[in-house]
Amino acid sequence: MSFPTIADLNKALSKKQVSAVELAQEALNKASSLKQLNAFIEINEELSLAQAAAADDLLAQGQGDYLTGIPMAHKDNFVTEGWKTTAASKMLANYLSPFEATVVEDLRKAGTVNIGKLNLDEFAMGSSNETSYFGACLNPWDHSKIPGGSSGGSAAAVAAGIIPFATASDTGGSIRQPAALCGVTGLKATYGAISRWGIIAYASSMDQAGIIARSAEDIVPALDRICHYDARDSNSVNYCLADKNEIGRVQAQYDNQRRQFDSAGDKPLSGLRVGIPLEYQGDELNAEVATAVKAAIQQLADLGAEIVEISLPHTPECIPAYYILSPAEASSNLSRFDGIRFGHRSTEADNIEQLIARSRAEGFGHEVRRRVLLGTYALSEGYYDALYVKAQRVRRLIADDFKRAFAEQCDVIVGPVSPNVARNIGDNKDLKAEWLGDIFTLSVNLAGLPAMSLPCGFSSDAKPLPIGLQLIGNYFKEGQLLAIADRYQQSTDWHTRKPTEV
């Protein structure tokens, strides 16, 4: 039997079959019983139960939202009042924010109940959740495997059934890759669609928030609450909805697309052009992943979609471009953590320069220091034009590949999320292999497009490991992506399966 959906929980709350306090306590108990997963960095039972009691009061007064009383949790790079916000770093191990992120505020106002703060790679820099100062998070399907990263705690907590959904962020695949490796559904929104206010910055021109849940249907209500203009984020997009009282953009787009699918009869995806990039079918793709993705594409074809071969020729360049641009931005963003204004302060220093150097050496982990040094080098005199400026030009070429494909060939692009299933914890000695694991996700962030991962199969391991299918949409087409994913999930059961170890 699968875990209850958000619709199930909303129905139970509406009919008073269960209270928000009872749901919160159940989630807290499950988080405690699965403590070995290390999915949470902090849990504050008193705060969670207080939010749940407030949600019950709203429901009793008939003022509840669809999400009122639903337990969830925040990735620990979203600043959250009452809970520590550490970004999984010693640098911020005891930081209590005086304000909360817009995404946190939106979901709190909707009446959701925060169960705690979720583990991640330090400052969201990593693809395995192993760089966390608080220790690696474990994959619920096999505790010897990584859950993916950087949003590993979000994916693991949802996959384990502790919470029905979680917030997450994605700078180079940090929602989609852990969703794929943990067998859940995750969506990264278009750059600018969700406010970045209060999300601790890694690479500001690529950071974007999203939601991880068990299914596309469960993502919709939460994503709809957080997709809106926010004047506090300089890159937030104003959709200028004509009717301020109409349903949100994502929900409206999703409902409209589903109606079109329903009217198409037994071939609901008829007329949908699905692009399959040649560059996503290389030798780096694990055979079992390739087979599962191919079967998923055939399922889309069986539902009526037209499958077309396309090319995204600059895909191989996404790795060098990303690993010049994102560290450069990280170098700038993390310069504020100097032990004086913000962050951990060393107790062994004779002068200001020594204080700053030692505070950063002690406060930042190895991967963060590596990326900061890479970024500082790329921005240094004599290398700025040769590295940073050139990488920006390549970024434009990558974005143009997608624009051309959507304008001329397809409505959505489909392929794998990760070349492999989850690897063993500790098998991260090959940096090149680790970076190549992001080959199918980085381009999306460089182009600023929306994309999602949904379960499409399992490996043949003794403990079968999940495989994810990636859907990439045109700008601000989150609702369409979710509707396509929902139609696929109506005809498959990959997303309903539960890890045997939970």
Side-chain angles (χ1 to χ4, degrees):
M1 184 177 180
S2 61
F3 296 118
T5 66
I6 290 178
D8 294 333
L9 297 177
N10 172 266
K11 185 176 180 181
L13 286 164
S14 299
K15 291 188 173 184
K16 296 182 170 49
Q17 296 169 341
V18 69
S19 70
V21 168
E22 288 171 328
L23 286 180
Q25 191 63 67
E26 182 182 357
L28 289 164
N29 291 343
K30 191 153 193 182
S32 178
S33 70
L34 293 172
K35 194 173 182 178
Q36 71 272 22
L37 289 177
N38 201 29
F40 286 85
I41 289 176
E42 186 186 23
I43 289 176
N44 186 320
E45 187 168 326
E46 184 179 350
L47 277 175
S48 297
L49 293 178
Q51 285 191 349
D56 279 331
D57 288 342
L58 285 173
L59 291 167
Q61 296 166 25
Q63 298 176 6
D65 184 274
Y66 185 79
L67 291 175
T68 300
I70 304 296
M72 51 77 63
H74 293 291
K75 184 176 179 180
D76 200 30
N77 61 343
F78 290 75
V79 298
T80 310
E81 287 187 72
W83 282 266
K84 290 178 184 177
T85 302
T86 71
S89 178
K90 180 180 179 180
M91 183 62 78
L92 292 172
N94 296 304
Y95 177 63
L96 279 168
S97 175
F99 70 102
E100 62 186 8
T102 299
V103 167
V104 174
E105 180 183 54
D106 290 338
L107 292 171
R108 176 180 55 78
K109 287 180 177 178
T112 62
V113 178
N114 180 30
I115 299 303
K117 302 302 292 294
L118 294 159
N119 207 348
L120 66 149
D121 282 295
E122 185 182 6
F123 282 101
M125 297 182 197
S127 304
S128 66
N129 218 139
E130 292 173 291
T131 70
S132 171
Y133 173 66
F134 301 95
C137 178
L138 311 183
N139 192 314
W141 294 90
D142 183 338
H143 294 179
S144 69
K145 307 293 184 181
I146 62 168
S150 63
S151 307
S154 300
V158 172
I162 299 171
I163 46 175
F165 80 92
T167 58
S169 63
D170 191 313
T171 306
S174 288
I175 289 175
R176 290 158 288 154
Q177 190 243 32
L181 300 192
C182 288
V184 290
T185 307
L187 186 144
K188 165 217 173 296
T190 307
Y191 183 76
I194 300 172
S195 175
R196 296 168 301 135
W197 175 260
I199 301 175
I200 295 174
Y202 163 21
S204 300
S205 74
M206 288 172 256
D207 295 343
Q208 189 49 245
I211 300 292
I212 290 178
R214 294 201 65 80
S215 68
E217 187 175 33
D218 274 357
I219 286 179
V220 176
L223 191 74
D224 195 53
R225 299 307 185 280
I226 64 177
C227 269
H228 62 80
Y229 173 69
D230 182 9
R232 295 174 295 186
D233 178 355
S234 60
N235 286 333
S236 181
V237 174
N238 192 342
Y239 303 110
C240 299
L241 293 174
D243 182 357
K244 297 300 181 184
N245 297 315
E246 76 170 322
I247 196 167
R249 177 186 66 86
V250 175
Q251 184 78 54
Q253 196 180 85
Y254 173 74
D255 289 342
N256 182 57
Q257 187 70 72
R258 285 189 67 180
R259 283 192 292 271
Q260 291 180 37
F261 288 160
D262 289 341
S263 66
D266 61 350
K267 295 286 186 182
L269 301 186
S270 295
L272 183 73
R273 299 170 301 164
V274 173
I276 312 300
L278 296 170
E279 293 77 14
Y280 289 12
Q281 304 170 50
D283 294 337
E284 69 274 11
L285 197 58
N286 172 285
E288 289 190 313
V289 173
T291 298
V293 169
K294 186 176 181 181
I297 292 169
Q298 183 57 53
Q299 182 68 38
L300 295 175
D302 292 343
L303 291 170
E306 177 189 357
I307 309 301
V308 295
E309 292 278 354
I310 67 168
S311 178
L312 300 173
H314 293 94
T315 295
E317 283 71 55
C318 72
I319 293 178
Y322 178 87
Y323 281 104
I324 289 171
L325 296 176
S326 64
E329 295 185 26
S331 172
S332 176
N333 281 324
L334 271 61
S335 65
R336 73 193 70 181
F337 302 112
D338 54 13
I340 300 172
R341 295 170 298 171
F342 300 104
H344 166 81
R345 177 177 293 189
S346 176
T347 58
E348 299 180 8
D350 298 327
N351 52 55
I352 291 293
E353 290 79 10
Q354 201 175 82
L355 173 65
I356 293 172
R358 288 188 174 176
S359 295
R360 287 172 174 165
E362 295 170 8
F364 291 140
H366 176 75
E367 183 62 26
V368 172
R369 293 199 302 270
R370 173 175 25 217
R371 297 196 191 198
V372 167
L373 288 170
L374 279 171
T376 303
Y377 181 81
L379 293 173
S380 62
E381 186 177 358
Y383 295 98
Y384 179 82
D385 289 335
L387 296 176
Y388 183 79
V389 172
K390 189 172 184 179
Q392 289 285 25
R393 290 171 179 159
V394 172
R395 182 180 191 174
R396 169 55 60 191
L397 295 174
I398 290 169
D400 287 345
D401 285 347
F402 283 108
K403 288 179 181 178
R404 192 176 304 109
F406 285 126
E408 301 172 4
Q409 296 176 284
C410 60
D411 304 302
V412 64
I413 294 170
V414 171
V417 177
S418 173
N420 294 289
V421 294
R423 62 164 173 78
N424 290 327
I425 291 173
D427 288 355
N428 59 345
K429 298 177 179 63
D430 187 343
L431 182 61
K432 180 181 178 182
E434 196 78 354
W435 286 5
L436 283 171
D438 298 330
I439 184 70
F440 304 126
T441 57
L442 297 179
S443 294
V444 169
N445 296 81
L446 290 167
L449 293 162
M452 65 183 298
S453 170
L454 56 152
C456 70
F458 285 86
S459 71
S460 60
D461 293 88
K463 293 179 181 178
L465 297 168
I467 296 169
L469 179 74
Q470 183 172 206
L471 305 184
I472 304 169
N474 209 343
Y475 296 103
F476 305 106
K477 293 290 186 180
E478 290 85 3
Q480 181 192 48
L481 283 182
L482 288 161
I484 295 167
D486 179 58
R487 188 58 64 173
Y488 173 80
Q489 291 181 333
Q490 286 181 39
S491 61
T492 62
D493 68 350
W494 305 116
H495 64 291
T496 67
R497 303 192 186 190
K498 296 168 64 173
T500 56
E501 297 196 4
V502 299

